[in-house]
Amino acid sequence: MSKSKKRSWAEPYKIKMVEPVRITQPEERERALKEAGYNTFLLRSDDVYIDLLTDSGTSAMSDRQWAGLMMGDESYAGSSNFYHLEDAIRKYYGYKHIVPTHQGRAAEHIISQILINEGDYVPGNMYFTTTRLHQELAGGTFVDVIIDEAHDPENEHPFKADIDLNKLEDLIKDKGADRIPYVCVATTVNMAGGQPISMKNLKEVRALTQKYGIPIIHDMTRVAENAFFIKDREDGYSHLSIAEIVKEICSLTDGATMSAKKDALVNIGGFLAVNDEELFDKARNMVVVYEGLHTYGGMAGRDMEALAIGIKESVEYDHIRARVGQVQYLGDKLIDMGVPVVRPIGSHGVFLDAKKILPHLTQDQLPAQSLAAAIYLDSGVRAMERGIVSSGRNRVTGEHNYPNLEMVRLTVPRRVYTQAHMDVVAESVEAVFHEADKISGLRFVYEPEYLRFFQSRFEII
Ligand SMILES: *Cc1c(COP(=O)(O)O)cnc(C)c1O
């Protein structure tokens, strides 16, 4: 194709309803931040201008999904929307049995309680906060078997979520296959910066685990975004559709937990999917205790309908290209400005390297938490800490975990903001970056026991 024929990506939709956002004054933000204990999770959304806290449940639904809400069948049992959802999951993901849950962590709770015994080890390609906690609460110990490159923010490896087969096999040999109930494979890896796993690596993990009779449970929260990177970067996949790649990924695993609030384009929802009959039976037994009947599991009928439609939309090429394209746009802009970010740019957000931006702070002074607070103060843009605070404490020693990656995540909701919003975000981050030496560290004044990043409060040192 000649240069003159180049076409940029653009949003494959137009806007028919708008939600005004409020632009606040610096004094208001200072007050709001103090009241929130310098934790962006504790801000009121009314005080936020551009909300890049998370891409979870914050996406804009399509007119088709909204129409689906009107088709909600709120029968207690056997809602037609459940069967639509079941059909969509079987068609697009290929898993046999599904158990709906109110969101991803509920599915993690159920699978962890069923499969993990006290003293077991659960390998995974880096941890996720809720996933690891549910493994621990079930008596398991999470073991990180991701490739070393994933812990290096500057390494440009195209598939930083790949599993290190030696680390995995060493663990199996050391602990014994019967102490490893499953391997947890995430597509994409959130805590590594939204990085994908390659199909080649997943196939190798499959072959290795099959040798030892260990199943794979797939954290498929961002599977469509992972599939986009496979199509874009991996040899032999450019001619396949996103839908075909997604299905191939799922076919290499035995079951999945899904937070439908991410790729599947709904504001609430999730599910557990498994192929094994016996496992399904156990999960169906548990869901009625913790979530609701097995044909709604904590979701309204209308939400299951919106999810069934969202799953279909999530694997459309034009959608996913624009979604990832917008994140790349923001990332490339920040790279051009010289701001240290995790490379390559991930699928759902841009991760700022807080250690590099605030070299005058030690990790105990919570650089990423401090940086997120400073960005909010500058512009009303809300980001999230993904560093020492999110990483929590060691379950045995009680000491802080010290992750190598100390990051602020600028997470882009799907189909919500425009390129002009991304420009404003980049300008604010650039301004904060240039005055970064003036940013003070923070210390805890309140720290809850579980998932402390959500509710902790801080003060300026
Ligand atoms: C969000 C998320 C979860 C948990 O899902 P919730 O819907 O928030 O409960 C699990 N794994 C990953 C990778 C996630 O991003």
Side-chain angles (χ1 to χ4, degrees):
M1 213 193 286
S2 75
K3 265 250 155 64
S4 61
K5 279 274 181 73
K6 176 178 186 293
R7 295 287 184 278
S8 297
W9 64 270
E11 292 80 357
Y13 52 82
K14 54 187 179 175
I15 296 164
K16 77 165 123 196
M17 190 189 283
V18 297
E19 177 183 341
V21 292
R22 200 165 77 87
I23 302 177
T24 50
Q25 297 307 311
E27 315 78 65
E28 289 176 83
R29 293 197 290 274
E30 203 170 330
R31 192 171 351 104
L33 192 60
K34 213 167 174 182
E35 272 172 25
Y38 298 90
N39 184 347
T40 52
F41 274 102
L42 300 179
L43 288 166
R44 292 169 185 242
S45 68
D46 269 353
D47 294 324
V48 173
Y49 171 31
I50 300 172
D51 203 347
L52 304 189
L53 182 74
T54 174
D55 63 332
S56 179
T58 53
S59 298
M61 291 206 294
S62 66
D63 52 0
R64 278 126 188 110
Q65 287 178 289
W66 280 96
L69 291 186
M70 296 306 293
M71 303 298 285
D73 166 8
E74 308 306 340
S75 307
Y76 189 91
S79 158
S80 57
N81 311 122
F82 167 77
Y83 296 104
H84 296 165
L85 176 59
E86 189 180 56
D87 287 346
I89 291 169
R90 285 182 177 154
K91 177 172 177 193
Y92 291 100
Y93 303 142
Y95 296 116
K96 279 201 199 109
H97 306 296
I98 77 145
V99 176
T101 57
H102 78 280
Q103 59 185 87
R105 70 197 67 183
E108 292 171 345
H109 171 223
I110 292 172
I111 197 76
S112 301
Q113 290 295 330
I114 295 173
L115 290 180
I116 301 172
N117 291 311
E118 188 69 41
D120 281 353
Y121 295 85
V122 188
N125 49 350
M126 208 177 260
Y127 83 103
F128 185 72
T129 52
T130 58
T131 320
R132 184 180 65 189
L133 178 61
H134 279 297
Q135 292 164 356
E136 289 173 352
L137 290 173
T141 301
F142 162 81
V143 183
D144 188 6
V145 292
I146 204 165
I147 56 172
D148 289 339
E149 286 88 338
H151 293 278
D152 173 2
E154 278 170 51
N155 193 296
E156 298 265 8
H157 194 294
F159 292 103
K160 276 171 125 173
D162 279 359
I163 285 178
D164 184 324
L165 298 165
N166 292 326
K167 285 188 199 169
L168 179 57
E169 190 156 25
D170 287 350
L171 180 78
I172 298 171
K173 285 187 176 149
D174 183 31
K175 307 294 179 193
D178 56 334
R179 295 272 65 175
I180 299 175
Y182 60 92
V183 177
C184 179
V185 173
T187 55
T188 58
V189 172
N190 195 346
M191 305 302 287
Q195 306 292 334
I197 180 170
S198 64
M199 196 74 84
K200 177 172 173 287
N201 183 254
L202 182 55
K203 283 180 181 165
E204 289 165 348
V205 172
R206 185 60 161 173
L208 177 66
T209 50
Q210 271 178 341
K211 192 170 102 185
Y212 291 97
I214 300 171
I216 297 178
I217 298 296
H218 177 199
D219 180 345
M220 64 179 301
T221 299
R222 294 182 183 82
V223 68
E225 292 171 7
N226 198 116
F228 177 81
F229 283 135
I230 289 177
K231 183 176 170 68
D232 196 45
R233 297 177 185 169
E234 190 164 351
D235 285 344
Y237 285 91
S238 61
H239 67 290
L240 294 186
S241 68
I242 298 296
E244 287 167 324
I245 299 172
V246 163
K247 206 153 176 186
E248 186 174 341
I249 293 172
C250 296
S251 76
L252 294 165
T253 70
D254 300 285
T257 55
M258 174 63 142
S259 170
K261 304 172 68 173
K262 286 46 173 271
D263 263 9
L265 296 163
V266 287
N267 303 121
I268 193 74
F271 58 81
L272 172 67
V274 293
N275 291 331
D276 184 74
E277 297 286 339
E278 201 184 316
L279 192 53
F280 175 51
D281 205 50
K282 286 184 183 159
R284 247 191 333 181
N285 254 301
M286 264 191 84
V287 77
V288 294
V289 181
Y290 293 101
E291 294 286 294
L293 193 72
H294 60 281
T295 56
Y296 74 86
M299 269 194 279
R302 53 181 173 269
D303 291 330
M304 291 191 281
E305 190 65 28
L307 173 52
I309 299 166
I311 288 172
K312 174 170 176 284
E313 293 179 358
S314 75
V315 298
E316 285 166 5
Y317 178 72
D318 291 338
H319 157 71
I320 200 77
R321 177 172 178 238
R323 187 285 183 279
V324 178
Q326 188 177 43
V327 176
Q328 305 297 304
Y329 173 84
L330 174 62
D332 288 344
K333 227 178 156 89
L334 289 166
I335 289 172
D336 287 346
M337 289 167 166
V339 179
V341 298
V342 174
R343 314 263 197 122
I345 301 299
S347 64
H348 67 297
V350 179
F351 291 67
L352 307 176
D353 187 342
K355 277 188 188 167
K356 282 237 178 58
I357 296 173
L358 305 176
H360 58 289
L361 299 186
T362 63
Q363 200 164 12
D364 286 306
Q365 294 171 322
L366 319 179
Q369 194 73 45
S370 310
L371 182 59
I375 293 168
Y376 172 75
L377 201 57
D378 178 74
S379 58
V381 170
R382 171 155 69 170
M384 184 203 287
E385 194 264 8
R386 275 302 182 221
I388 185 171
V389 179
S390 291
S391 200
R393 290 180 184 275
N394 183 293
R395 207 163 63 101
V396 181
T397 65
E399 290 297 307
H400 291 302
N401 294 317
Y402 288 90
N404 198 41
L405 297 176
E406 177 73 27
M407 308 178 294
V408 168
R409 189 180 76 185
L410 300 164
T411 341
V412 183
R414 296 164 187 79
R415 309 193 290 207
V416 170
Y417 291 114
T418 65
Q419 212 151 310
H421 286 116
M422 296 302 110
D423 291 342
V424 170
V425 171
E427 288 158 10
S428 172
V429 172
E430 186 186 33
V432 171
F433 173 55
H434 286 304
E435 305 243 288
D437 55 332
K438 302 205 181 92
I439 298 173
S440 314
L442 294 170
R443 68 173 150 244
F444 282 95
V445 289
Y446 167 68
E447 182 186 345
E449 184 179 357
Y450 297 122
L451 303 173
R452 63 182 183 176
F453 56 97
F454 284 131
Q455 291 156 332
S456 285
R457 303 182 68 86
F458 309 92
E459 65 184 11
I460 295 174
I461 297 172

